[in-house]
Amino acid sequence: MADWHAPQDIREWFRRLFGIRPVLLVLLISSIFILELRFDWIERALGAYLVTTNAARPESGAIWEKGKQTLTARKTLEQIVTDRQAIQREARGATTFNQIAANVSTGQGVMLSGDRFRNLYLNLPQEVAQEIISPYELLRIAGQGH
């Protein structure tokens, strides 16, 4: 049976240091360390475990918040684009400026082709038409091809 007290001489120190158990323990630990450095098996095992438990983890943290903000921004942009397209569709189908003005809110604009604008402009009463743009200015713009 081994003595569990401090060794008495250098010979006993070497015998305890280079015995079968300490050498096997050092070999085992160093082989695990070298295999980990070579094959990354601890990271792979940990990653596989995290993948299996991912569904049960709560959605919190900076990355989740950015994802939620991105999703909200995309939905808002889709809504804005849909509203704009609907307003443009209604403006193209309008027969008077009053119909266009009823569909467009303050600060929003509507794109009309030059021909469509001229047709709507010519249907306006002369006093109202001159407040929008003078006929001479309209002729000048149309003459330039704009």
Side-chain angles (χ1 to χ4, degrees):
M1 183 173 208
D3 294 331
W4 291 106
H5 56 84
Q8 299 296 326
D9 57 2
I10 191 82
R11 189 170 172 215
E12 194 172 337
W13 271 101
F14 280 120
R15 195 180 72 210
R16 287 187 184 184
L17 186 62
F18 296 110
I20 188 87
R21 287 182 186 156
V23 169
L24 286 178
L25 183 64
V26 167
L27 284 176
L28 178 68
I29 291 172
S30 62
S31 64
I32 288 173
F33 182 73
I34 291 170
L35 288 173
E36 164 55 26
L37 289 176
R38 174 68 177 98
F39 298 111
D40 299 326
W41 57 273
I42 292 177
E43 285 88 357
R44 292 174 193 260
L46 183 62
Y49 169 74
L50 290 174
V51 165
T52 58
T53 61
N54 192 31
R57 285 187 280 165
E59 294 180 1
S60 63
I63 293 175
W64 289 106
E65 292 302 319
K66 285 288 184 189
K68 288 177 184 176
Q69 289 174 353
T70 301
L71 183 62
T72 304
R74 284 185 181 157
K75 286 181 181 178
T76 303
L77 285 175
E78 286 176 10
Q79 184 63 39
I80 290 170
V81 167
T82 304
D83 292 346
R84 285 262 173 144
Q85 289 173 343
I87 290 171
Q88 285 294 115
R89 225 176 295 113
E90 291 173 3
R92 287 187 195 114
T95 56
T96 65
F97 276 115
N98 289 336
Q99 289 176 343
I100 293 174
N103 294 327
V104 177
S105 62
T106 305
Q108 272 188 325
V110 176
M111 296 291 291
L112 294 174
S113 67
D115 293 334
R116 183 77 179 136
F117 180 80
R118 276 190 300 255
N119 290 338
L120 292 173
Y121 180 82
L122 292 174
N123 291 336
L124 287 174
Q126 196 171 22
E127 301 82 29
V128 176
Q130 286 182 356
E131 287 183 27
I132 294 175
I133 188 170
S134 73
Y136 301 113
E137 184 69 20
L138 187 60
L139 281 174
R140 186 186 65 77
I141 292 171
Q144 291 176 348
H146 297 297

